[in-house]
Amino acid sequence: MSTATKPNHIGRKISRIRELRDMKQEALAQALGTNQQAISAIENSETIDEEKLVEIAKALGVSAEAIKSFSDENVINYFNTFNDSQGNFQSNYCTFNPLDKVVELYERLVLAEKEKVEYLEKLLKDK
């Protein structure tokens, strides 16, 4: 007897999506106008009729096709891609310390003011 799970077990897919959405069976039951026991029965069902699947998908905020094609591997790939793209996005940030640039600008302004004062003092001495 094999202990492998069937890849197309719709009930398990609904359960996983519900859990990923941080939704309890009671909340899904309320959204569907049923009770928690009915949701438990659905999640233990290998198949579900299309009309009910559309209702559940709407309550979960996904499409019926998303439920049908759901797999944990796809979720992991999605989050890895998301994290990779975030990492690449972060590499577009500046590579210098902005505070260093502010200090550099301030020092240049102070130097310019000193030169201005020296020039004005020289003009006064010449008079």
Side-chain angles (χ1 to χ4, degrees):
M1 187 164 123
S2 173
T3 58
T5 59
K6 295 186 178 181
N8 239 359
H9 194 289
I10 293 294
R12 282 197 193 96
K13 291 179 179 187
I14 291 169
S15 174
R16 289 294 292 136
I17 292 169
R18 178 184 55 76
E19 289 167 356
L20 288 168
R21 310 245 333 130
D22 199 26
M23 182 185 277
K24 297 207 177 288
Q25 283 183 341
E26 292 83 6
L28 181 56
Q30 186 176 17
L32 294 172
T34 187
N35 59 31
Q36 181 269 327
Q37 289 81 6
I39 299 302
S40 180
I42 289 169
E43 290 181 355
N44 287 317
S45 299
E46 201 169 312
T47 60
I48 186 170
D49 68 82
E50 190 67 26
E51 187 177 307
K52 193 67 173 175
L53 182 63
V54 170
E55 286 179 44
I56 294 168
K58 186 176 178 184
L60 289 172
V62 299
S63 68
E65 191 56 42
I67 294 175
K68 291 176 187 176
S69 64
F70 176 84
S71 76
D72 285 332
E73 183 180 327
N74 288 344
V75 171
I76 292 167
N77 288 338
Y78 170 79
F79 281 107
N80 285 342
T81 302
F82 179 75
N83 287 335
D84 290 345
S85 68
Q86 286 297 324
N88 292 339
F89 178 72
Q90 289 177 354
S91 67
N92 291 334
Y93 284 113
C94 61
T95 57
F96 58 87
N97 184 347
L99 190 55
D100 290 342
K101 293 296 181 183
V102 170
V103 169
E104 181 183 325
L105 176 63
Y106 182 75
E107 288 172 344
R108 288 188 355 221
L109 286 171
V110 168
L111 182 62
E113 287 299 313
K114 282 183 182 178
E115 289 173 353
K116 198 186 308 181
V117 167
E118 287 174 5
Y119 175 74
L120 290 173
E121 285 176 346
K122 182 181 175 190
L123 283 177
L124 283 173
K125 281 184 187 177
D126 289 343
K127 281 193 169 187

